[in-house]
Amino acid sequence: MNEAPKVDLPFYVKAPLVLLGLALLVFTLHIAGEILFPIFFAAIFAILLLPIEQWLRRHRVPELLAIGLTVLVGVVALAGLLYFIYLQAAQLASQLPLFKVKLLQAQQELVRWLDAHFGITNERLLGWLREGTSRGTALLGQTLTTVSGLLVVATLVPVYVFLLLLYRERLVTFLIQVFSGRRHDTGVEEVLHESKSTIQSYMVGLLIEGGIVAVLNVVGLLLLGIPYALLLGVLGALLNFIPYIGGLIAILLPVLMAFVAKDSYGYAIGVVVVYMVIQFIDNHILIPRIVAGKVQVNALAAIVGVLVGNAIGGVPGMFLALPGIAILKIVFDRIEPMKPWATLLGDEERPRPGKSARSR
């Protein structure tokens, strides 16, 4: 039987088709994000917890019991972290009246300083402050809505994790048949295996890197005498999981605490210096040695992906951006027409056209 001739479409036809496909994907994720994002998180957690379930099965634990114990381990670990943050945040909330007084004093000092040095009148500055307050209130309402939504999602994710572990062989068979039309296909199996290994190694590396950053944050804040150093250090490490952007946001919380809790503004400057040193260590030592080797995605693709993830699904989308781009790169590397996109997303050193790798 003769094979059908391959149709090589010109670039001006292929480019709009690719852009149309990306637009439909982004639109679908935006519309169905509330349904899909919990499943994506559950898939990542299931892959991360899979070695525990496999270890239990090797020790002859029944399948359902092994999966249940694996999910229980993950739930207990996550619940312990959330409970710690809740206790620390409750103590912080008890100090809010004092913080409001300090912020009011700092606001008055800032008004006087700007009026004396730049001639900015109180009325103009107060108008800016009111506008900022209204935006902050709207942001707070959006944050509370997001938190309440996450609480609902937190009850669904363990169920999804359990079911994904239980039906993983059926899901793998389904994906192989969908993408190849056969029950077994080494190419599709290789993509799935490499995607699983990449997510596992990436998440483990991310947890190790986050733990080290949390310790550095807490030690630095304790040396400066900043209140609630443990809470701020851990929150800073969690925010650092958002590539490139989270580290900048993480600095604002301890700077605000130092600004409010200390009489001298030198402490706030000290916090900035300490966090810049930690970010330097993280970006130049920890990430290249622990995380970057697991996900070969360049900085431009990561930043754009994080911004797109934020536009699609807010904070959950930002967390899922880098693993999603890594999986897309693995798939693109296996499809000949999509290899230019893999090159665009990747961070590997590739020889330039007309030059061998040895001549570089």
Side-chain angles (χ1 to χ4, degrees), residues 54 81 127 174 287 297 353:
Q54 292 177 334
L81 177 62
F174 164 77
I287 290 180
V297 175

PDB file of all heavy atoms in Angstrom, residues 54 81 127 174 287 297 353:
ATOM      1  N   GLN A  54       5.355   3.298  44.666  1.00  0.00           N
ATOM      2  CA  GLN A  54       6.077   2.169  44.089  1.00  0.00           C
ATOM      3  C   GLN A  54       6.907   1.448  45.154  1.00  0.00           C
ATOM      4  O   GLN A  54       7.026   0.218  45.129  1.00  0.00           O
ATOM      5  CB  GLN A  54       6.976   2.655  42.945  1.00  0.00           C
ATOM      6  CG  GLN A  54       6.190   3.140  41.732  1.00  0.00           C
ATOM      7  CD  GLN A  54       7.076   3.691  40.651  1.00  0.00           C
ATOM      8  OE1 GLN A  54       8.180   4.173  40.906  1.00  0.00           O
ATOM      9  NE2 GLN A  54       6.602   3.639  39.409  1.00  0.00           N
ATOM     10  N   LEU A  81       2.604  22.182  56.753  1.00  0.00           N
ATOM     11  CA  LEU A  81       3.123  23.474  56.309  1.00  0.00           C
ATOM     12  C   LEU A  81       2.063  24.561  56.415  1.00  0.00           C
ATOM     13  O   LEU A  81       2.332  25.673  56.908  1.00  0.00           O
ATOM     14  CB  LEU A  81       3.618  23.354  54.865  1.00  0.00           C
ATOM     15  CG  LEU A  81       4.126  24.636  54.202  1.00  0.00           C
ATOM     16  CD1 LEU A  81       5.332  25.183  54.958  1.00  0.00           C
ATOM     17  CD2 LEU A  81       4.467  24.388  52.739  1.00  0.00           C
ATOM     18  N   GLY A 127      -4.273  62.219  47.385  1.00  0.00           N
ATOM     19  CA  GLY A 127      -5.045  61.646  46.278  1.00  0.00           C
ATOM     20  C   GLY A 127      -4.396  60.372  45.760  1.00  0.00           C
ATOM     21  O   GLY A 127      -5.071  59.376  45.489  1.00  0.00           O
ATOM     22  N   PHE A 174      -4.219   5.225  27.171  1.00  0.00           N
ATOM     23  CA  PHE A 174      -5.089   6.160  26.450  1.00  0.00           C
ATOM     24  C   PHE A 174      -4.256   7.176  25.668  1.00  0.00           C
ATOM     25  O   PHE A 174      -4.519   7.427  24.480  1.00  0.00           O
ATOM     26  CB  PHE A 174      -6.006   6.869  27.447  1.00  0.00           C
ATOM     27  CG  PHE A 174      -6.669   8.105  26.909  1.00  0.00           C
ATOM     28  CD1 PHE A 174      -7.751   8.009  26.042  1.00  0.00           C
ATOM     29  CD2 PHE A 174      -6.203   9.364  27.254  1.00  0.00           C
ATOM     30  CE1 PHE A 174      -8.357   9.152  25.531  1.00  0.00           C
ATOM     31  CE2 PHE A 174      -6.806  10.510  26.755  1.00  0.00           C
ATOM     32  CZ  PHE A 174      -7.881  10.403  25.886  1.00  0.00           C
ATOM     33  N   ILE A 287      20.182  27.347  41.951  1.00  0.00           N
ATOM     34  CA  ILE A 287      19.377  26.985  40.779  1.00  0.00           C
ATOM     35  C   ILE A 287      20.209  26.288  39.700  1.00  0.00           C
ATOM     36  O   ILE A 287      19.793  25.242  39.182  1.00  0.00           O
ATOM     37  CB  ILE A 287      18.658  28.228  40.224  1.00  0.00           C
ATOM     38  CG1 ILE A 287      17.549  28.666  41.199  1.00  0.00           C
ATOM     39  CG2 ILE A 287      18.056  27.947  38.849  1.00  0.00           C
ATOM     40  CD1 ILE A 287      16.785  29.876  40.763  1.00  0.00           C
ATOM     41  N   VAL A 297      14.938  25.246  30.190  1.00  0.00           N
ATOM     42  CA  VAL A 297      14.120  26.320  29.637  1.00  0.00           C
ATOM     43  C   VAL A 297      14.856  27.629  29.845  1.00  0.00           C
ATOM     44  O   VAL A 297      15.342  27.902  30.953  1.00  0.00           O
ATOM     45  CB  VAL A 297      12.735  26.367  30.315  1.00  0.00           C
ATOM     46  CG1 VAL A 297      11.933  27.556  29.817  1.00  0.00           C
ATOM     47  CG2 VAL A 297      11.972  25.072  30.065  1.00  0.00           C
ATOM     48  N   PRO A 353      24.231  27.362  12.501  1.00  0.00           N
ATOM     49  CA  PRO A 353      24.258  26.799  11.147  1.00  0.00           C
ATOM     50  C   PRO A 353      25.573  27.117  10.450  1.00  0.00           C
ATOM     51  O   PRO A 353      26.055  28.256  10.477  1.00  0.00           O
ATOM     52  CB  PRO A 353      23.070  27.490  10.453  1.00  0.00           C
ATOM     53  CG  PRO A 353      22.163  27.911  11.569  1.00  0.00           C
ATOM     54  CD  PRO A 353      23.058  28.223  12.719  1.00  0.00           C
TER      55      PRO A 353
END
